[in-house]
Amino acid sequence: MRILVVEDEAVLARALRRGLQAEGFAVDLAADGETGLEAALEGDHDIVVLDLMLPQRSGLEILREMRRAEIWTPVLVLSAKDSDDDVTRGLDVGADDYLAKPFAFTVLVARLRALLRRGAPPRPAVLEAGRLTLDPATREVRLDGRAVELTTRETALLEHLMRRPGEVLTKVELRDHVWDAAGDDLNVVEVYVGYLRRKLGKDAIDTVRGSGYRVVGQ
């Protein structure tokens, strides 16, 4: 298995190469974003380990360009940026996993092996519902072909509804999937459905009284 490590901290990069080679991986290093992007776009690697704060190009730029070019090689972000917003942004842009620095090398190897077992996913299909489309890879939402700006939560809620066309999804299911927090008030779902209707049209999402919501998109 060949791994591309894009990391500008030379000492860490060399340590990662030694450790991963000892685990049986072939390792290529890139010390800046431009070199890393060129290597990633070749598509010759089984997995990419990617720092976010890089010279020339950021890790997020590399991710965007990879997914735009339909390079679906699994990417594990390895970064000192560890806030919830940073993790969310990295995963939304196209990362498959996210590990904050400092980290345990054994955990890194375990996560890499898990990603390799999963393999590179096929290109995500564009979801459609009436006049609405949503590309899970780019998180781009369009209404009648016009791009609509949604927040991360709004996009996640809409995506979950669009992946289950015609089905009525309960507030509990939507809350647990999108917010991943059973303690959150169920009213948060109703509030965000309201946000989506204001941006996509009041008829985009149906309310099924006593049951939940379903996407219509017309």
Side-chain angles (χ1 to χ4, degrees), residues 9-125:
E9 296 180 33
V11 174
L12 175 58
R14 289 194 297 268
L16 285 172
R17 181 166 58 184
R18 287 195 302 270
L20 291 171
Q21 286 176 338
E23 293 290 333
F25 297 106
V27 182
D28 294 324
L29 297 182
D32 60 73
E34 197 65 46
T35 305
L37 177 60
E38 291 178 5
L41 290 181
E42 291 175 359
D44 293 334
H45 298 91
D46 297 289
I47 198 163
V48 177
V49 176
L50 181 64
D51 191 11
L52 293 185
M53 295 181 289
L54 296 164
Q56 300 183 24
R57 282 179 179 265
S58 71
L60 290 181
E61 289 181 85
I62 293 174
L63 266 172
R64 288 192 186 96
E65 291 299 323
M66 288 178 64
R67 300 323 188 204
R68 189 174 292 123
E70 300 187 5
I71 303 295
W72 305 110
T73 306
V75 174
L76 184 145
V77 168
L78 192 63
S79 176
K81 303 180 73 173
D82 61 353
S83 72
D84 289 343
D85 286 344
D86 291 322
V87 175
T88 299
R89 190 175 301 112
L91 295 174
D92 281 346
V93 169
D96 299 275
D97 200 355
Y98 198 111
L99 185 60
K101 300 175 182 177
F103 59 93
F105 181 73
T106 53
V107 173
L108 171 65
V109 172
R111 291 194 177 195
L112 291 176
R113 294 197 188 282
L115 287 176
L116 288 167
R117 286 195 299 271
R118 194 183 311 166
R123 184 183 187 278

